[in-house]
Amino acid sequence: MCKIKINSVLFLIVLEIFMVTTTAFEETCKFDRKMEEQCLNHTYKTVKPLLDYLRQVLNELKESEIDKNKFNELNSDLMEKYHEIVKIHEKFMKDAALLDEYKNKVLKGEDDLQLSQSKVEKLESEINSQQNIIVTLKGELADNSTNLENCQLKFQNLNSSLIEKDEKIKRFSENIQNNTEYQKTLELKLEKSKTKLIKQDKDIQIYQFEIDTLNRTSENIREQQKKIQLELNESETKLIDKVKENQLCQSEIDILNKTLLNTLVPSSCSPFGDSDVHPLNVSGIGFFDVLCDSQIAGPGWIVIQQRVGGDEDFNRDWATYRKGFGSYKSDFFLGLEKIHRITSLQRFELYIHLVAVNGSVFYAGYDDFKISDEDNGYALSLGKFSETIIIDSMRYSENMKFSTFDRDNDFGGGNCADFYKSGWWYNACQHCNLNKEYVIHQSIDLKEIKMLVRPKQ
């Protein structure tokens, strides 16, 4: 029975230690609500099984039905639990120390934050003061700009009033005389403003001096303008005389050039013995360049059509065929109007030079080639066919007007020029077309075509 009392006292001591530990740990955790909740939950979960066990022991002790051996076992269990509680207490104390350390760090962080906030507030006050200074400076700058504009307006007014200064001076002198009597009546009242009046008088003298200076300057400028105007008039008269002389000289030079060109520049390639570009002077159209050829069929030939490169599109409108197009270095058509003017001077012969893809050469000749004027549609005339080994298929186009996709002069039901993508002397439509997109003449694939004319010998 004594042992039971001793063990009961021991149990009460252990229970008091638990309560003290729990109380101390709760006091340590009070500095933070969240941390307090975590600590209490942890303590409750740890101690609750022990408390339940202790209640069970108390109930058993109250019943006084526990035997000695069982009590000894319970006593040993209580001692083990006590040691565990001591370890838990030590762990809780360490955690409390860590929590105190964290609390100190938090307090230090709060102090640093307050210090930083005070610095920020100080910087904000400095920024506000700087902004106020900037606003003040902007106001002063705006005032200075306004003053500058006013000064510019005053300067412009002074410049614009130079011509009227003489009249203003007279009026000013009259106003002074009229104000003399008025000043006498106001002398008593204006004694206090005498200093200001003296200053104004000085300003007036300065302005008067500036006005006189400007007047003298304006008079000098007027005299210089008169001199410059006289010199300008003299120079203009001389320049007009020179221009007239130059115009007379230029007209004489033009007459001489025309005479010289008419004398030196021929109307055909007969004088030239090479194959190159030369100028011609043809009546009714003037000067223009042509490609002369002396290699294919002898000297003196004018190339009026050439297809050697395949670079040029021969599907052109009437105006382009009338003027001509292309490059003498590759494909070109001389132009219907030029061909008409050339062949209307005298009798011309036509030579057609064809080169097949396989290298075979074909040619044909007509002894009286010409085309009519534009009013008659540049109608084709050939003459006698000679010197050829191919069929006279171009005869089908004789006496036909020239046709393009925008001017249909053929006898066919549709537009032959639009169908074959080229201008030509179409009948209905063709037996021969040296301008069409894909050149096949009498079932022969051609890679080179040239039409040449020269005066008939």
Side-chain angles (χ1 to χ4, degrees), residues 183-199:
Q183 287 177 355
K184 290 179 181 180
T185 59
L186 297 175
E187 285 178 352
L188 295 175
K189 294 180 180 180
L190 297 176
E191 286 178 356
K192 294 179 181 181
S193 303
K194 185 176 180 181
T195 305
K196 294 182 179 179
L197 288 172
I198 293 170
K199 185 178 180 181

Side-chain angles (χ1 to χ4, degrees), residues 194-246:
K194 185 176 180 181
T195 305
K196 294 182 179 179
L197 288 172
I198 293 170
K199 185 178 180 181
Q200 289 179 356
D201 289 336
K202 290 181 180 180
D203 293 336
I204 290 170
Q205 290 176 0
I206 293 170
Y207 292 146
Q208 185 66 40
F209 178 76
E210 291 178 354
I211 290 169
D212 295 337
T213 304
L214 290 172
N215 287 331
R216 288 193 295 271
T217 304
S218 63
E219 290 177 358
N220 294 330
I221 290 172
R222 290 192 190 96
E223 292 178 357
Q224 291 178 359
Q225 286 179 346
K226 290 179 181 179
K227 292 180 181 179
I228 292 170
Q229 187 65 38
L230 291 173
E231 293 177 356
L232 183 62
N233 293 333
E234 292 177 359
S235 300
E236 186 176 359
T237 303
K238 292 179 181 179
L239 181 61
I240 291 170
D241 295 336
K242 290 291 184 182
V243 169
K244 290 180 179 179
E245 291 177 2
N246 289 335

